[in-house]
Amino acid sequence: MDLLDKLSENVVQLARLGLSGRSQDVQAYVRQSIRKLRQQNPELASQLSELLALAPTSLSPLRDFGGAIVPVDADSRLALAKSEFPVVLSGSPILDRNLKARIEQIVVEQRQLSALEREGLGPTRSLLFVGPPGVGKTMSARWLASLLGRPLITLDLATVMSSYLGKTGGNIRSVLEYAKSVESVLLLDEFDSIAKKRDDEGDVGELKRLVTVLLQEVDDWPSTSLLIAATNHGELLDPAVWRRFDDILEFRAPDADERMEVLVSLFGGDVEKLEEWLPVLVNIWEGRSFSDLTRTAQWIRRRAITSDNTVLDILLDRIGHELRGGSPDDRKRAARLLAERGYSDRKISEIVGISRDTIRKSRPSSAPNSSKMRGRNG
């Protein structure tokens, strides 16, 4: 086959892919061509690489993406999604080392599109976040948008399903097209509300069609936009969904080191007053999510500020039932700490659930004698 025949074949194939409307197939074909041309025509391969890296941005009619208009429902005129720009965070989410590294790698890829395209590769375009509530999925999506300097477009699929029943398909397509047209991070929250297993007998035909539409959108997602689907119930997802995403990130409740790190951060200026208690808190709050820890720590600090009690008094009042149900070692440690602070045997027994005789026997010789305790200690 001579050069003209090869060129004609390539033009026909590109035209066929372009007219089918599947931009991702066009990009894949161009990448394949770049690999073939790298030895024969390096200059042309380089030009195609640059074009491939920049092509998706030409879809954007508004370079000031912070001012772009989010699609609205035709009847209610209510916005179909929430757009946040700029995304401002007080700090990065606390995640395990591997998970954080994978998220940071995505940022690096988005910043080096040209380098990837020159090698015939594309960046990570779609992510599936899986994990229980409160473990940092939404926070991580916001962090990604912040690092990339892009708007975060959030579509709560459960809300769309309940509010616009009968028009769900058209509304979701509108949001997807909008998110593809600008450099953005799209978060599809409550993903399982639509992308459920297609053998669910309760599903109507509309929902099953939407699953197909969503899977095709994931396949065709442009390189310069990032799609994130988040679910609390990965077990409900259609098996085909898992295979379509470029990467799947599984979030979990924080381990002991992560709980310690987040508690030190949350208690701020009060952490020195609670330093000896932190190991106890880390143990009795095992299994709690980041959001649970945040709510509890903030409640304790607010209560201490707005009352005449110390932060430790408020903490002990809040965790009493958890401490009494904790391990023997944690209860003994708590009893020792309370004894060192001058709490009476009776008060310690009330707080930690250990008998007064046991407390008396284990009281350090340096601790104040319970018979001399007065006032708040009972």
Side-chain angles (χ1 to χ4, degrees):
M1 182 181 293
D2 60 24
L3 182 60
L4 181 59
D5 290 336
K6 288 183 180 179
L7 180 60
S8 299
E9 182 181 317
N10 290 342
V11 170
V12 171
Q13 181 63 8
L14 278 173
R16 181 183 295 112
L17 293 173
L19 291 171
S20 70
R22 294 177 60 84
S23 61
Q24 197 60 37
D25 287 346
V26 174
Q27 293 181 20
Y29 186 77
V30 173
R31 288 192 188 97
Q32 186 182 48
S33 299
I34 290 171
R35 287 193 291 269
K36 293 178 180 179
L37 288 168
R38 190 170 289 119
Q39 298 297 326
Q40 301 173 0
N41 195 330
E43 183 178 352
L44 179 56
S46 178
Q47 291 176 357
L48 287 173
S49 297
E50 293 295 330
L51 180 62
L52 193 58
L54 298 174
T57 64
S58 65
L59 294 171
S60 176
L62 292 172
R63 300 307 303 145
D64 180 16
F65 43 63
I69 300 173
V70 178
V72 298
D73 178 67
D75 296 330
S76 68
R77 307 309 297 170
L78 295 175
L80 295 172
K82 181 179 71 173
S83 181
E84 181 183 3
F85 182 79
V87 178
V88 180
L89 300 175
S90 58
S92 62
I94 298 175
L95 305 168
D96 71 70
R97 186 176 302 176
N98 176 61
L99 195 58
K100 195 167 188 177
R102 289 166 69 180
I103 291 176
E104 290 172 339
Q105 170 62 25
I106 293 162
V107 176
V108 173
E109 291 176 11
Q110 289 289 326
R111 290 174 177 170
Q112 298 189 30
L113 289 179
S114 296
L116 290 172
E117 298 294 2
R118 280 197 296 272
E119 297 301 321
L121 299 171
T124 299
R125 299 169 294 111
S126 59
L127 298 166
L128 179 61
F129 285 2
V130 182
V135 291
K137 299 189 297 296
T138 301
M139 178 69 165
S140 295
R142 297 186 70 238
W143 184 46
L144 264 169
S146 176
L147 291 174
L148 293 170
R150 298 178 183 176
L152 175 67
I153 303 167
T154 303
L155 175 62
D156 188 328
L157 292 171
T159 300
V160 171
M161 289 291 296
S162 61
S163 301
Y164 308 105
L165 194 60
K167 299 183 296 180
T168 302
N171 285 331
I172 290 178
R173 288 186 189 92
S174 295
V175 174
L176 294 174
E177 289 302 318
Y178 164 73
K180 287 196 296 185
S181 72
V182 296
E183 294 181 6
S184 62
V185 175
L186 172 63
L187 173 61
L188 300 178
D189 207 4
E190 303 289 347
F191 193 57
D192 52 273
S193 63
I194 285 185
K196 294 186 295 185
K197 295 178 180 177
R198 282 178 277 190
D199 58 1
D200 187 338
E201 294 180 358
D203 280 354
V204 296
E206 171 72 3
L207 294 186
K208 294 179 180 179
R209 287 191 293 272
L210 277 175
V211 174
T212 302
V213 171
L214 283 171
L215 295 182
Q216 183 173 332
E217 290 291 349
V218 171
D219 286 341
D220 292 343
W221 205 252
S223 299
T224 53
S225 185
L226 187 63
L227 183 151
I228 301 173
T231 177
N232 301 333
H233 305 287
E235 72 280 1
L236 297 180
L237 296 181
D238 189 303
V241 169
W242 295 82
R243 299 190 295 269
R244 300 300 181 96
F245 287 87
D246 292 338
D247 201 358
I248 297 171
L249 304 186
E250 298 195 31
F251 292 71
R252 53 166 179 75
D255 61 22
D257 290 340
E258 291 160 353
R259 289 196 298 278
M260 176 65 78
E261 182 181 352
V262 75
L263 288 175
V264 168
S265 173
L266 289 170
F267 280 113
D270 293 320
V271 74
E272 292 185 4
K273 306 170 189 175
L274 304 174
E275 186 173 2
E276 294 177 314
W277 287 89
L278 291 181
V280 176
L281 297 180
V282 165
N283 289 339
I284 66 174
W285 285 344
E286 182 180 4
R288 285 207 179 191
S289 67
F290 289 115
S291 60
D292 286 339
L293 296 175
T294 300
R295 281 193 297 269
T296 302
Q298 290 180 346
W299 185 91
I300 290 169
R301 296 189 70 192
R302 286 195 296 263
R303 179 77 172 175
I305 291 170
T306 57
S307 70
D308 295 329
N309 297 296
T310 68
V311 67
L312 179 56
D313 289 335
I314 301 299
L315 172 67
L316 292 174
D317 183 62
R318 178 68 183 253
I319 68 171
H321 69 285
E322 294 173 296
L323 196 53
R324 288 189 292 274
S327 70
D329 287 342
D330 286 330
R331 293 159 69 194
K332 289 177 183 177
R333 180 170 189 159
R336 177 179 59 78
L337 292 173
L338 291 169
E340 290 173 354
R341 293 184 66 87
Y343 280 73
S344 70
D345 294 344
R346 186 179 71 181
K347 189 66 175 179
I348 296 173
S349 178
E350 291 175 0
I351 293 173
V352 303
I354 296 177
S355 71
R356 293 166 68 177
D357 286 341
T358 302
I359 293 169
R360 195 174 298 115
K361 292 175 183 177
S362 61
R363 179 182 286 276
S365 58
S366 59
N369 190 287
S370 61
S371 63
K372 299 180 181 179
M373 298 299 101
R374 301 189 305 275
R376 65 174 182 141
N377 298 331

